Amino acid sequence: MSQGPLMVLDSAGLWFRAFHSVPEKITGPDGAPANAVRGFCDMVAVLVEEYSPSGLVAALDRQWRPDWRVELLPSYKAHRVGDDGEEDAPASLAPQVNSIRAVLSAAGITQAWAEDAEADDVLAELSARDREVLVVTGDRDLFQLASPSTTVVYVGAGMKKRRAYTPAVVAERFDLPEAADAGVYADYAVLVGDASDGLPGVAGVGAKTAATLLREYGDLDGIVAAATDPGSGLTARQRSSVLAGADYLDAARGVVRLGGRVFELEFDGDTDGRRGPVDDGRLDELGRAIGQARAIGRLVEATATLEEA
């Protein structure tokens, strides 16, 4: 097993971010938008150049809204469902996703997924490996994966403001109890809620209160136990809010917490993220067709430093 870091990408999060941060006026020879392709390739190249991983895996959604999560919490991502039942995404992004995946394959970069799983679940499985792991994402829910061996590289505020989150950084940033890992962040996210994911949170419990309760009672179980204990230090309002949201808390923890289910990962490429064969002819073809030969070339050059499979 390689001793170097394994970099794992929240791929959908990165190409959505690329699509929205790079102007759509970036097009290919046929006039079709190529902004997501350019942005994705440039971002990954910069990250590989900065962190020098020996392995690279692009994690993919097999289901962007898994049935088992919806059964637990029907509101989960409900507002993002389009008329066709699929994710409501820009029409010009889907063809670019196909192009990005084709570039990854031709560049010998591993892609991974699992049945009934989102990329988050794949990232959790990969971060549990016995090696140093770098999780690249723009999703704060993944802060929970930070551990002695896993660092979360957060690009949600933009590439120029990217920051590496260790358990200590997560605890400091959100005023949470310090621990060997940052798993408590999942409980914080449940309490506070996230409108973008259809998580309402607990009424009357904002970020400051959530952090205070977690420092005092440790985790969601401790907070719920305190709410049912007349002798606890919860205020009447806090007690009422937690008890009123008990059903939500029980369901949402199963949605937000990662690692509770075991998924069998499938790979297109090397399971350790080592670089596979590079199809130069296919890359040249894609570069011409998409009009992004420079960005694709930069990605290929950056990932040439990966260990070979």
Side-chain angles (χ1 to χ4, degrees):
M1 179 181 294
S2 169
Q3 296 302 304
L6 169 66
M7 177 175 283
V8 293
L9 309 175
D10 179 5
S11 302
L14 294 185
W15 61 56
F16 265 99
R17 182 159 298 281
F19 179 85
H20 290 292
S21 62
V22 179
E24 280 196 82
K25 66 181 181 181
I26 303 299
T27 61
D30 59 356
N35 54 325
V37 177
R38 175 181 289 189
F40 183 90
C41 290
D42 283 346
M43 282 194 292
V44 176
V46 167
L47 290 161
V48 170
E49 289 165 357
E50 178 173 349
Y51 291 99
S52 301
S54 59
L56 179 65
V57 176
L60 306 172
D61 292 326
R62 188 67 169 185
Q63 279 193 302
W64 71 278
R65 188 174 180 250
D67 292 340
W68 59 270
R69 280 197 166 100
V70 176
E71 289 172 5
L72 287 169
L73 194 69
S75 65
Y76 181 63
K77 294 184 178 180
H79 63 294
R80 288 156 58 180
V81 179
D83 294 336
D84 59 358
E86 298 299 321
E87 185 173 16
D88 187 14
S92 59
L93 176 58
Q96 295 192 69
V97 170
N98 293 334
S99 296
I100 289 169
R101 293 199 59 189
V103 169
L104 291 172
S105 294
I109 297 170
T110 298
Q111 299 169 67
W113 62 90
E115 286 298 323
D116 302 319
E118 297 178 57
D120 290 10
D121 303 303
V122 177
L123 295 167
E125 289 280 344
L126 292 169
S127 68
R129 290 186 171 185
D130 185 21
R131 64 181 294 183
E132 181 185 357
V133 178
L134 303 169
V135 176
V136 180
T137 184
D139 184 353
R140 295 195 301 178
D141 283 349
L142 291 171
F143 288 157
Q144 64 183 284
L145 297 181
S147 73
S149 60
T150 297
T151 298
V152 178
V153 181
Y154 181 66
V155 298
M159 282 292 288
K160 291 182 179 179
K161 296 182 179 179
R162 60 188 177 275
R163 185 178 182 186
Y165 279 79
T166 62
V169 174
V170 174
E172 179 183 9
R173 168 69 176 77
F174 298 98
D175 204 18
L176 298 174
E178 292 191 36
D181 62 54
V184 71
Y185 184 86
D187 290 355
Y188 171 83
V190 168
L191 286 164
V192 174
D194 184 348
S196 67
D197 278 342
L199 300 171
V202 174
V205 176
K208 184 175 180 179
T209 299
T212 298
L213 293 176
L214 287 167
R215 289 197 312 274
E216 181 69 23
Y217 301 105
D219 56 19
L220 281 182
D221 291 333
I223 293 171
V224 172
T228 61
D229 177 8
S232 73
L234 289 178
T235 66
R237 182 176 180 180
Q238 291 169 344
R239 190 184 311 278
S240 175
S241 294
V242 172
L243 291 178
D247 289 342
Y248 158 75
L249 290 173
D250 188 50
R253 75 177 77 196
V255 171
V256 176
R257 286 178 177 172
L258 299 173
R261 289 181 176 230
V262 177
F263 296 94
E264 185 172 345
L265 301 189
E266 299 180 52
F267 293 89
D268 176 10
D270 181 72
T271 58
D272 284 324
R274 291 171 294 197
R275 192 185 197 195
V278 177
D279 188 338
D280 291 318
R282 177 61 172 151
L283 288 168
D284 288 342
E285 177 186 342
L286 289 166
R288 289 193 299 271
I290 306 169
Q292 294 304 311
R294 183 207 60 79
I296 292 171
R298 182 180 181 186
L299 174 65
V300 173
E301 181 180 356
T303 54
T305 60
L306 299 174
E307 289 188 356
E308 293 186 4

